[in-house]
Amino acid sequence: LRYPSVRGCQGGPVRARRPLADAVRLCRQPAVRRRGLMRQTLNSLRLPLGTRAPIRQRALPAPAPVPSWVLEGATKAVGSRRGHVAHVTVIPMDSVVVPESSDSVFLRQLVERGALEAARSAELERALPRPDDDRHLTRTGFIEALRALHHLQETNGVDVAELDVYWDMLSAFGEDEARCLLPQDLAEALSTLSLCNRRLPELVRLLNKHTRRLARSFSAAEVALTARACGRMEWKSRDLLMKISDRLVILLQHPDLAHTVMSGHMAAVLGAYSKLSISWKSKEQEDEQLELWKAVANTLPSRKDQTSAREYAVILNAFADKDLTSSRIHKPVARMFEICAVQLAPMVATSDSSQEGHFLPKDLALIANAFARVQAGPYMLPLMHEISKQARGLIASFNHQDISNTLNAFAKLEVPDTPLFDAAATVIIRDIGTYNTQDLANVANAFGRQQMRHVAVFQGIADMSLHVMDQFRPLHLGVLASAYGKVRIRQDAFLSSLRDEVIYRGTIGKAISEINRNHAFGLRTVEQLTHAFSVLGMHDQRLAFVLFDMARTRVRESAKALRLQDEGQSKEYDRHRFQSSMQLAVRKGIDVPDGRGLATLLHAFAKSQANFHALVRWAPRQISALEGQFSTQDLATLFNACSRLGVDNIPLYRELLRYASDRVPQMSPKSLAVLIRAMGKVKMFRRSVMRQAVKIISARIHDLDIIDVGCLLVGSAELGYRDERFLRLLAAVVRRRADEMSGSELATAFHSYSTMRIAHPKWCDFMLFELFKRQHELKEKDTTNVAFAMLLLAAVERQHLASEGVTPLPGVPSDGVAVVPVLYPFDKHAGVASSMLDVTNRSRRSLTYPAIFQLQTIELFMKLIVPGVYTEMRQDLKVLLAKARKVNVAVDDHMQQSSRLHRKISQWFTRVGLHHRSEVALGPFFLDMVIGEKVVVEIDGPSHFYRDTNSRTAGSLLKNLLLTAMGFHVRHLPYQEWAQCGTTEKRTLYCSTFWRDVMASQAPGGHEDATKQLPLVDILELVMATQQQERGLSLDDTAVEPPQPRFYVEEPLLDADAEVLGRERQEGGDAAAGSAVAAAAPEGARGPRQRHRRQDGDDREVRAVLSAHERSERELAWDREMGRSAGFALAAGADRGGGGARAAQGGTEGAATKGSPAPSPEDPLPTVRQLMPRSRRRSVKHGAAEQFDRRGLEADTDDSGEDEPEPSQ
């Protein structure tokens, strides 16, 4: 209908001819009545009242007779505003002969082909739009034309393209015509257009506009028709859906109209929201949308008898899709799901395929999927059980999508159902050729999450995936790889193809990732791929770097998008750039990294041994950027991953421990086990974390699996945390569940427990017997650890025997004859050691340097401590040990292994005249300091003791045992004793006490103990006399003292020590100054007076040291009485009571008083050079003939500068 706008209404009478009823209805509008259009319309019809129009051969039907009540109503409507109308004159038109149209030809052809009935053809001919008639622009004509076109489009044999001309004519429906449409007409028009799948944007926009205008007059059925139409056309009109949703809410809340709303109506509206992905999280319309979901959630449980299976499936899936758990209506929604689960269980159980309204396979799949997506609680178990029973009976009629949805639902809910998966496996294997890439990924994911190792299914999926690998979306590639990783099924051909595809898309395909979504990997997909490859043992560094590069790129893009978002909030001109970046990020699937994802990624890289430099630098920055926003499990995983990657970042570890110390009570025992293992690997100990963790794990030990127990044992051993009760508890768990552990895990647990110095023979007997039975499962590393652990047990046993006073001890000569009893465990399990070495011998080409060190130690132990076991050993094992002995495990620069404490003590030893060599390599060991031929000083730092104890470790005991058996006099210097020496005098006196051990090592046989009891003052005087004798001087000699070596002059000790020495020397006054001048003057320029002044200064220094010694003796005596000091007893215990007085008197008769043999005047005093040959550090190797090269220890070199002249004897 073409006529001037109703609102304008200018330009004369209406030019078109329409039925009178339409004209009357149109003229009732206020705008029409105001302009008198009613009169113009009636006059333009020109038909006699009460008669039929004599129209022949017209496309449109003749108008029906006009009833009298219509004319009366029209006249009344016009007369109420414009006055009385006397009569209406209708003038009939002349009859016109219309030729046969193309419509008739088209429909007749359909009738001839049998696609259309003849009677129906006449009706369609009248309804179809024609170019020479405007009836299709009227209300009834428009609706009838839509119906006719829909019928023809659904008819078989009709070419859809032939209907385009009719759709073009129908699209001429304009704004004024649309105002005539009623609510039911709008709903039907939109529904018909959606069913015909016609894209007419202008017409749809026009109908949308008027639908929003009349939405308040829609019924529930019309709301449902409109919602379904929007869903089919994918017309995402938020305003339209909001209007009809508000109308549905009003109907549901109205007490008189609520019964008109059926479950199908609610399903149609909610299904449209779900299909169009319209979120409820909108700042402006959030409350309005939530009212719809709340109203449906409150109404659905009461419509049980009216709701079909499909309606249940659609409504529940719509709720699951919107994820309303964080909204204010989560409680009504949760209650609705619980009630529906109870209602659906008997309905599914009684469903019969022969009855109408039974549950179809798709309905069962959708309902199960809905409950899985909302993570339903235990209330869904009866329903899932009934769904499983129905699905097994209908499994043959399930399509691939229904099977994947059903199996994934059971996997998400963690409901084990082996019969259902077995029944589905048969159908999957049969129809695997029809599955697309998404179905393949979903099926594999379901079997993987349920840990169903169905080899035939995974083999079929792998074979099918090889042909369509390039068609997989990145998300599906990640899901597919993750499924194979979960069930630990390694298909080499599939993995190789998957690896090549990932490398191609991550390198060459990166350039086209902007235009091809298949080349844009999201961060979650990268995490899944990395984890799957690491689990399946695909340790390809090239693949690892490609995955790392993709992850790093995604993180950079997400950081850039967030940065632009922050800038866009403050700068308006950045808004478009921010929107484009966010759209690009959404299109690529980029998400912001979180703690769980980063922990998974780094753990996978660590497991793949991908510790390249870029990753090691990148990981700490990403962890710090999270600022503690990760769970306790992620915290433990991140700590463990960084330790395995070799990240050397102490501040990072301290920060993670700070987070952990506050959250230990919240951590699970498994997370605590992983954390303790990682702390041991990086040697980061925090007492509060460890103590709380031990309390929690001890109370919940049954929550741990056997792998976690092994981690706790290894972590405690590496940290040196010796809580005997806790360790025995772990050992008991290992013994009870040993059948769950592999041979390698048993060996690791046995070695870790043996290092903790715990006497537990029964447990050790069980473990050694179990390892002997399962030696075929062990590798060379495991067997070497077991044999070395037996050495540690023997060293602990010997220490226990020594503490009880048992004699003779192994390795200690007695009257020139070595009495060597057999120690535990070699007295019972010598065969275990031989069997372990036999396994090592078979894999000797794979030995590492730590294993070589252990083998060298084993050889020394067996030759020196248990020679009987070594004698009975097979010859090939002896050859293995001999070959291991020839391998040099020493590093080039031995001082790299020297600690700061060691270097400091070395300087103090040199200051008191104890010349020595540091870090001397002797076989597998490094000796901290070697004085002379037999004295070895071991500086015991914190690593030589267990945490928070004074007990030395089993490894330290073993080293001491072997050195003692080799004939060395071993003296230990604990760091606790050195820490008590806070002044220069105390450190000088403490270092001087080691002279006793040096002199005892040179004393004749039987006089060692007497030599050790010499008073310290006598030792100091002897040292001073010997040093002067070495310089060729006596107390009255006038010879010139040679200058000190440059090593001692140029290297200062401590700043505090230098200050103390300065104060001591200031006591000498001018004498000390004169001594300094004399030392600086040339030899010929020094006179007798200057030399005497220097000698007086030396005497004052000696007296100052002796007086300080006297004070220290008194202080130490008082400390011992009060029980505050026990560490200095070794240094000054022989000088208690009177030593200080004799030192003050300057006499040396105290030695005879104590019964100590005084030095014989006939025997010349040994020189310092004879006592301590000063040699440089060098590696001492032991050959096959003897245990070590003693000549190497006696090598005569100088530890001063190379150009330093030798002092005269």
Side-chain angles (χ1 to χ4, degrees), residues 837-853:
L837 293 177
D838 185 44
V839 176
T840 304
N841 187 30
R842 291 196 295 267
S843 305
R844 57 182 177 272
R845 295 183 180 274
S846 304
L847 291 175
T848 59
Y849 275 100
I852 293 295
F853 167 81

Side-chain angles (χ1 to χ4, degrees), residues 888 890 894 917 919-925 927 930 968 1176-1183 1187-1194:
N888 185 15
H894 310 318
R917 286 152 293 158
E919 297 294 346
V920 178
L922 178 62
F925 301 122
L927 310 182
V930 178
F968 287 102
R1176 289 195 181 278
R1177 298 179 298 274
R1178 58 170 297 175
S1179 177
V1180 181
K1181 302 178 182 178
H1182 59 293
Q1187 297 303 320
F1188 61 93
D1189 187 5
R1190 291 187 178 274
R1191 291 185 298 239
L1193 293 175
E1194 298 173 358

Side-chain angles (χ1 to χ4, degrees), residues 59-173:
L60 298 177
V66 182
S68 59
W69 63 269
V70 174
L71 291 179
E72 293 175 0
T75 304
K76 183 178 179 181
V78 176
S80 61
R81 295 290 300 273
R82 294 291 183 178
H84 178 70
V85 179
H87 62 277
V88 177
T89 302
V90 180
I91 303 174
M93 297 178 59
D94 297 335
S95 60
V96 180
V97 178
V98 181
E100 186 177 13
S101 65
S102 59
D103 301 342
S104 302
V105 177
F106 170 66
L107 294 175
R108 188 173 64 252
Q109 293 176 355
L110 293 178
V111 173
E112 292 175 356
R113 291 199 302 263
L116 193 65
E117 298 178 357
R120 186 61 176 166
S121 174
E123 298 177 3
L124 293 177
E125 185 179 0
R126 289 192 301 267
L128 286 175
R130 298 181 57 180
D132 56 347
D133 193 359
D134 293 336
R135 186 176 182 277
H136 62 277
L137 300 179
T138 64
R139 168 181 168 268
T140 55
F142 177 70
I143 298 301
E144 290 176 359
L146 284 175
R147 293 172 183 170
L149 289 173
H150 177 245
H151 180 77
L152 288 175
Q153 189 162 334
E154 295 294 329
T155 303
N156 295 329
V158 178
D159 188 4
V160 180
E162 296 177 353
L163 303 177
D164 291 345
V165 61
Y166 299 108
W167 287 110
D168 293 340
M169 287 187 289
L170 202 62
S171 62
F173 199 77

